[in-house]
Amino acid sequence: MKLFYSPRVLDHDAAGEINRGVVGEPFERPERAANVAAALNNAGLGLLVEPASFPDEHLLRVHDKDYVEFLRSAHRRWLNAGRKGDAIPMCWRADRMRPALLPTDLDAQLGYYAFDIMTPITEGSWQAARASVDTALSGAAHIASGTGQAAFSLCRPPGHHAGSDYYGGYCFLNGAAVAAQFLIDHGMSRIAILDPDYHHGNGTQDIFYARNDVLYVSLHADPATDFPFYTGFADEIGIGDGLGFNLNFPLARQTDWSAWADAYGAAEQSIRNFSPEAVVVSLGVDTLSGDPLSKFAFQPEDFGRLGGVLSRLSCPVLFVFEGGYAIDQIGANVVRTLHGFLGEYIA
Ligand code: Q9C
Ligand code: ZN
């Protein structure tokens, strides 16, 4: 298995996060990626390879130009305005206010492009998010070259909450979506994206919602109780040409491996029926029991089982790292997943 990692993904480093009304240490912090990298290094799965630099054109297949330019310049504009610290939105348009045209004011633009307050733009956010996309693209290029059947891209910040023109849920640029589009652009006609992260990947769903060449399948905490709250319900099944090519499996809090695996059976069948040429897995490990943000009940050994069921897809798989906030355990759980996938299941 080919592994891709760039230390540039550490450059996004938020000063704090408002959680339940209290400013504390961010859940999504650089050590997450450093710990996964260290665990991969120790696991003997192969060397971590520095991703290549890909041109922006790949990114712009999925994200809007104005949004990309906003992300690239937002923190510089924040400092130029005499602000300190991280750029955080403070004002949003309510649904009955007049429809927004792209505003010019920085604060108005922050509210226009962000959908939450937990995703600060820091001095290094652009560099990190851009490196995260290069990491995803390097994995996709490996799969597209036909020389390898599997790759793991250690992306950070994560991506699956980011849409074509919005950020949130710790995500700025959608690495899984950019990778899937890259595979399509390199001759593949059907790509499935499977998203086992605890949270619904609203951005990925949105990007491919009207398309039938990319199937999006997500198992996640019911948005009736969990972030991102307004999307991820079972009746969201795609639109137009994409009707039937979006599948959500909202699951109750406390879902354990056996309940998750039941839902996965149906998810797997739909992926098989689609007969994809490759599968992109948005690998979040925040399904772990005790994850500080999540309420599923996976035990550590269940990640080996997860890798095992993913290997049954029997087509090339690109793993893109997403969530997981139990900092000391996420590396081991990524390794368990990859070992399980490779048939070297270890509890
Ligand atoms: N302030 C991913 O797993 N909800 N994003 C947090 C704490 C946040 C998670 C509530 C969830 C975003 C990629
Ligand atoms: Zn998540």
Side-chain angles (χ1 to χ4, degrees), residues 114-281:
F115 71 87
D116 65 35
I117 60 163
M118 74 187 80
T119 314
I121 300 179
T122 78
E123 187 170 15
S125 296
W126 168 256
Q127 293 92 302
R130 193 61 186 74
S132 189
V133 165
D134 279 342
T135 307
L137 281 168
S138 293
H142 179 68
I143 299 290
S145 73
T147 56
Q149 293 292 297
F152 175 81
S153 293
L154 209 181
C155 295
R156 178 197 178 262
H160 72 156
H161 296 301
S164 60
D165 66 349
Y166 56 79
Y167 68 100
Y170 311 142
C171 304
F172 299 99
L173 298 171
N174 194 320
V178 176
Q181 184 64 49
F182 181 95
L183 293 171
I184 296 278
D185 291 341
H186 285 74
M188 292 189 175
S189 41
R190 287 175 314 284
I191 302 298
I193 302 178
L194 172 67
D195 189 338
D197 185 281
Y198 177 81
H199 304 96
H200 177 238
N202 59 285
T204 313
Q205 165 172 306
D206 190 8
I207 287 165
F208 297 112
Y209 206 59
R211 286 172 52 171
N212 58 17
D213 56 344
V214 179
L215 172 71
Y216 178 68
V217 180
S218 180
L219 298 92
H220 50 262
D222 193 335
T225 58
D226 280 79
F227 183 92
F229 299 114
Y230 310 110
T231 170
F233 297 93
D235 63 356
E236 297 162 20
I237 57 173
I239 196 166
D241 289 347
L243 197 65
F245 295 88
N246 193 90
L247 282 171
N248 287 325
F249 293 86
L251 303 170
R253 287 184 163 193
Q254 310 311 331
T255 288
D256 62 4
W257 170 255
S258 111
W260 195 94
D262 280 349
Y264 179 75
E268 181 186 52
Q269 194 51 55
S270 68
I271 294 172
R272 283 187 193 288
N273 293 344
F274 182 65
S275 60
E277 288 175 60
V279 178
V280 176
V281 176

Side-chain angles (χ1 to χ4, degrees), residues 9 37 61 68-69 83 104 118 122 155 182 210 248 295 325 330 341:
V9 306
R61 294 282 290 137
V68 168
E69 295 316 316
R83 310 281 180 78
T104 53
M118 74 187 80
T122 78
C155 295
F182 181 95
N248 287 325
K295 297 279 181 292
Y325 306 95
I330 54 177
F341 180 79

